[in-house]
Amino acid sequence: MINREKIEAATTLMLEGMGEDCNREGLVETPKRIAKMYEELFSGMDITPEKYLSKTFKSEGTEMVVEKDIVFYSMCEHHFMPFYGKVHIAYIPDGKVVGLSKLARTVEVFARRPQIQEQMTGQIADALMEYLAPKGAVVMITAEHLCMTMRGVKKPGSQTVTIARRGEFVQDNQQLEMFFTMVKS
């Protein structure tokens, strides 16, 4: 649960630490705006993926289901700077499927937390395996990290790509190749 009062107080301290006058017109409401923004940006902290992945439908099909180009925005837990990009998800059903919007909502659960991309990739794959019990799941994330582009090494446009494979996607390279082909198309 987000504590707005603590965030407002911390924001005021940060602004003062930067030498700003918190009473000047442009900053008077800034601590409140930041607290409200953090409530939205970190809304995934109070939600579990079960909320979205527990409602399933029977399916006799066992062919791969792919949802690609799911846009996300998250905050790096190391610098509290944004990283953003696209998530590509595939799973091989084993008697049940989930509504496609629920895959995007599952991404949001994990993206809306202080996070690192490597961990988020695995969390999404693990949630699919736990709640859908598919034959396999694969998650690939491509993202740009502002902690690398705005500060530090300053390399805008650089992309970080992570992948998490579970079940048949670990054992069956043909399934994995089909996933890559579908993501590229």
Side-chain angles (χ1 to χ4, degrees):
M1 181 82 165
I2 296 292
N3 184 322
R4 281 190 182 189
E5 289 177 6
K6 284 186 176 183
I7 294 172
E8 287 178 31
T11 301
T12 299
L13 281 173
M14 182 183 69
L15 290 168
E16 290 171 352
M18 293 168 45
E20 280 287 356
D21 174 7
C22 293
N23 293 314
R24 81 174 165 83
E25 182 182 4
L27 293 178
V28 171
E29 298 294 318
T30 296
K32 286 183 175 146
R33 285 191 294 266
I34 288 178
K36 187 176 177 183
M37 175 187 68
Y38 274 16
E39 194 169 54
E40 179 182 344
L41 293 180
F42 300 119
S43 61
M45 294 175 64
D46 298 323
I47 303 172
T48 67
E50 180 180 20
K51 176 179 179 177
Y52 301 116
L53 296 176
S54 61
K55 174 69 173 157
T56 59
F57 306 95
K58 289 182 183 176
S59 173
E60 293 181 24
T62 57
E63 296 298 319
M64 186 185 314
V65 175
V66 177
E67 185 73 18
K68 68 180 193 171
D69 296 332
I70 302 168
V71 174
F72 78 94
Y73 300 89
S74 191
M75 293 287 274
C76 167
E77 67 184 27
H78 297 147
H79 298 101
F80 261 59
M81 291 191 76
F83 67 99
Y84 62 93
K86 293 182 179 179
V87 178
H88 313 290
I89 296 174
Y91 69 96
I92 302 168
D94 192 12
K96 58 184 176 179
V97 294
V98 68
L100 296 176
S101 71
K102 304 309 185 221
L103 297 175
R105 291 186 188 281
T106 300
V107 169
E108 287 299 299
V109 166
F110 294 111
R112 298 273 179 190
R113 301 174 179 188
Q115 189 61 275
I116 62 172
Q117 180 177 336
E118 300 88 339
Q119 177 177 279
M120 187 171 109
T121 310
Q123 288 172 330
I124 296 166
D126 291 341
L128 293 171
M129 294 303 288
E130 180 177 350
Y131 297 108
L132 293 183
K135 294 178 181 178
V138 61
V139 176
M140 185 171 90
I141 300 178
T142 303
E144 183 168 343
H145 294 249
L146 292 187
C147 58
M148 269 193 59
T149 64
M150 267 181 82
R151 58 157 302 280
V153 71
K154 295 183 183 98
K155 296 296 178 200
S158 62
Q159 299 281 304
T160 301
V161 180
T162 51
I163 189 164
R165 303 178 300 148
R166 306 290 187 266
E168 284 190 15
F169 287 100
V170 174
Q171 297 130 6
D172 187 342
N173 283 334
Q174 284 184 316
Q175 292 283 20
L176 189 60
E177 287 301 319
M178 184 185 301
F179 167 73
F180 288 137
T181 299
M182 292 173 81
V183 166
K184 288 178 190 175
S185 66

